[in-house]
Protein backbone atom coordinates (compact mmCIF):
# COMPACT_ATOMS: atom_id res chain seq x y z
CA UNK A 1 0.00 0.00 0.00
CA UNK A 2 1.32 3.45 -0.88
CA UNK A 3 1.98 6.01 1.82
CA UNK A 4 -0.96 8.14 0.65
CA UNK A 5 -3.29 5.13 0.66
CA UNK A 6 -2.12 4.16 4.15
CA UNK A 7 -2.62 7.70 5.45
CA UNK A 8 -6.12 7.80 3.95
CA UNK A 9 -6.93 4.43 5.55
CA UNK A 10 -5.61 5.64 8.92
CA UNK A 11 -7.65 8.87 8.81
CA UNK A 12 -10.77 6.93 7.78
CA UNK A 13 -10.27 4.44 10.63
CA UNK A 14 -9.92 7.30 13.14
CA UNK A 15 -13.06 8.98 11.74
CA UNK A 16 -14.97 5.71 12.06
CA UNK A 17 -13.84 5.34 15.68
CA UNK A 18 -14.75 8.99 16.45
CA UNK A 19 -18.24 8.44 15.04
CA UNK A 20 -18.59 5.33 17.18
CA UNK A 21 -17.84 7.41 20.30
CA UNK A 22 -20.68 9.77 19.34
CA UNK A 23 -23.14 6.85 19.15
CA UNK A 24 -25.38 6.61 22.27
CA UNK A 25 -25.07 2.79 22.22
CA UNK A 26 -21.29 3.10 22.62
CA UNK A 27 -21.50 5.97 25.12
CA UNK A 28 -23.67 3.86 27.43
CA UNK A 29 -21.37 0.82 27.25
CA UNK A 30 -18.25 1.02 29.39
CA UNK A 31 -16.74 -1.96 27.54
CA UNK A 32 -17.29 -0.45 24.09
CA UNK A 33 -16.06 2.99 25.11
CA UNK A 34 -13.01 1.51 26.85
CA UNK A 35 -11.93 -0.11 23.58
CA UNK A 36 -11.94 3.31 21.90
CA UNK A 37 -10.26 5.40 24.61
CA UNK A 38 -6.52 5.19 25.18
CA UNK A 39 -5.56 4.32 28.79
CA UNK A 40 -3.68 7.67 28.85
CA UNK A 41 -6.74 9.55 27.52
CA UNK A 42 -7.33 13.17 28.55
CA UNK A 43 -10.15 15.49 27.51
CA UNK A 44 -10.71 19.17 28.02
CA UNK A 45 -14.46 19.47 27.61
CA UNK A 46 -16.51 22.38 26.34
CA UNK A 47 -17.15 23.26 30.00
CA UNK A 48 -13.40 23.58 30.59
CA UNK A 49 -13.35 20.49 32.80
CA UNK A 50 -10.40 18.12 32.44
CA UNK A 51 -11.33 14.43 32.23
CA UNK A 52 -9.12 11.37 32.62
CA UNK A 53 -9.73 7.90 31.19
CA UNK A 54 -11.44 6.54 34.32
CA UNK A 55 -13.43 9.71 34.94
CA UNK A 56 -14.72 9.67 31.38
CA UNK A 57 -15.66 5.99 31.43
CA UNK A 58 -17.55 6.50 34.70
CA UNK A 59 -19.42 9.61 33.50
CA UNK A 60 -19.93 8.93 29.79
CA UNK A 61 -23.33 7.18 30.04
CA UNK A 62 -24.83 10.23 31.79
CA UNK A 63 -23.16 12.93 29.68
CA UNK A 64 -24.85 14.64 26.74
CA UNK A 65 -25.60 12.17 23.99
CA UNK A 66 -25.54 9.15 26.29
CA UNK A 67 -28.14 7.10 28.06
CA UNK A 68 -28.99 9.77 30.60
CA UNK A 69 -31.17 11.48 28.02
CA UNK A 70 -33.05 8.36 26.97
CA UNK A 71 -33.07 6.78 23.54
CA UNK A 72 -35.12 9.60 22.03
CA UNK A 73 -32.85 12.31 23.41
CA UNK A 74 -30.69 14.62 21.34
CA UNK A 75 -27.63 13.25 19.60
CA UNK A 76 -24.39 14.86 18.57
CA UNK A 77 -24.62 15.78 14.91
CA UNK A 78 -21.08 16.01 13.48
CA UNK A 79 -20.10 18.03 10.42
CA UNK A 80 -16.98 19.07 8.55
CA UNK A 81 -15.00 16.12 9.89
CA UNK A 82 -11.54 15.71 8.47
CA UNK A 83 -8.16 14.52 9.53
CA UNK A 84 -4.47 14.36 8.87
CA UNK A 85 -1.74 11.90 9.82
CA UNK A 86 0.76 13.76 12.02
CA UNK A 87 3.18 10.83 12.32
CA UNK A 88 2.96 7.07 11.95
CA UNK A 89 0.30 5.94 14.44
CA UNK A 90 -1.01 9.49 15.17
CA UNK A 91 -4.08 11.02 13.50
CA UNK A 92 -5.50 14.47 14.24
CA UNK A 93 -9.23 14.96 13.57
CA UNK A 94 -11.17 18.22 13.59
CA UNK A 95 -14.91 18.75 13.22
CA UNK A 96 -17.93 20.53 14.58
CA UNK A 97 -20.94 19.19 16.44
CA UNK A 98 -24.43 20.43 17.03
CA UNK A 99 -26.22 19.11 20.08
CA UNK A 100 -29.72 20.47 20.48
CA UNK A 101 -28.65 23.84 19.07
CA UNK A 102 -25.37 24.02 21.01
CA UNK A 103 -22.38 24.03 18.66
CA UNK A 104 -18.79 23.10 19.46
CA UNK A 105 -15.56 22.84 17.52
CA UNK A 106 -13.73 19.63 18.34
CA UNK A 107 -10.21 18.31 18.00
CA UNK A 108 -9.10 14.74 18.70
CA UNK A 109 -5.79 12.92 18.61
CA UNK A 110 -5.99 9.22 17.86
CA UNK A 111 -3.13 6.81 18.24
CA UNK A 112 -2.41 3.25 17.32
CA UNK A 113 0.47 1.68 19.16
CA UNK A 114 2.75 -0.91 17.61
CA UNK A 115 1.19 -4.33 17.80
CA UNK A 116 -2.35 -2.98 18.26
CA UNK A 117 -4.94 -3.28 15.53
CA UNK A 118 -7.33 -0.53 16.60
CA UNK A 119 -7.14 3.22 17.02
CA UNK A 120 -7.77 4.80 20.41
CA UNK A 121 -8.57 8.38 21.30
CA UNK A 122 -5.60 9.84 23.16
CA UNK A 123 -6.77 13.46 23.53
CA UNK A 124 -9.97 15.39 22.88
CA UNK A 125 -10.88 19.05 23.24
CA UNK A 126 -14.19 20.79 22.64
CA UNK A 127 -14.61 24.54 22.34
CA UNK A 128 -18.12 26.03 22.46
CA UNK A 129 -19.12 28.18 19.51
CA UNK A 130 -21.08 31.28 20.57
CA UNK A 131 -24.42 31.69 18.78
CA UNK A 132 -23.16 34.74 16.87
CA UNK A 133 -19.96 33.02 15.61
CA UNK A 134 -19.61 31.30 12.28
Amino acid sequence: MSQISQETADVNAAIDAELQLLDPAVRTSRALAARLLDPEFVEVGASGRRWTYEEMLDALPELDGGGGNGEGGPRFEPSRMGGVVLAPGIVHLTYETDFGGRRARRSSLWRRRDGEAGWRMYYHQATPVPAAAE
Side-chain angles (χ1 to χ4, degrees), residues 6-50:
Q6 183 61 55
E7 288 182 0
T8 299
D10 289 348
V11 168
N12 288 339
I15 287 173
D16 180 59
E18 185 89 37
L19 292 173
Q20 288 178 51
L21 276 174
L22 294 174
D23 184 329
V26 173
R27 296 173 76 80
T28 57
S29 168
R30 184 180 177 95
L32 292 175
R35 285 192 345 225
L36 294 168
L37 296 179
D38 191 276
E40 296 176 7
F41 170 82
V42 172
E43 175 174 329
V44 177
S47 67
R49 178 176 174 178
R50 182 181 187 277

Side-chain angles (χ1 to χ4, degrees), residues 34 37-41 51-58 120:
L37 296 179
D38 191 276
E40 296 176 7
F41 170 82
W51 299 85
T52 65
Y53 175 80
E54 284 298 327
E55 290 169 339
M56 183 56 70
L57 288 178
D58 288 344
R120 291 179 170 221

Side-chain angles (χ1 to χ4, degrees), residues 109-124:
L109 291 175
W110 288 82
R111 82 174 169 184
R112 184 182 63 214
R113 294 184 178 184
D114 289 339
E116 291 185 359
W119 289 86
R120 291 179 170 221
M121 184 184 283
Y122 175 75
Y123 179 81
H124 183 78

Side-chain angles (χ1 to χ4, degrees), residues 38-124:
D38 191 276
E40 296 176 7
F41 170 82
V42 172
E43 175 174 329
V44 177
S47 67
R49 178 176 174 178
R50 182 181 187 277
W51 299 85
T52 65
Y53 175 80
E54 284 298 327
E55 290 169 339
M56 183 56 70
L57 288 178
D58 288 344
L60 196 56
E62 299 303 319
L63 292 175
D64 285 347
N69 297 321
E71 294 218 6
R75 296 179 57 133
F76 286 99
E77 298 297 331
S79 63
R80 302 182 198 180
M81 191 175 288
V84 63
V85 173
L86 298 178
I90 304 288
V91 170
H92 179 219
L93 299 181
T94 57
Y95 63 104
E96 293 185 13
T97 56
D98 184 288
F99 183 82
R102 293 188 331 237
R103 292 179 45 225
R105 292 191 176 105
R106 298 180 178 273
S107 177
S108 299
L109 291 175
W110 288 82
R111 82 174 169 184
R112 184 182 63 214
R113 294 184 178 184
D114 289 339
E116 291 185 359
W119 289 86
R120 291 179 170 221
M121 184 184 283
Y122 175 75
Y123 179 81
H124 183 78

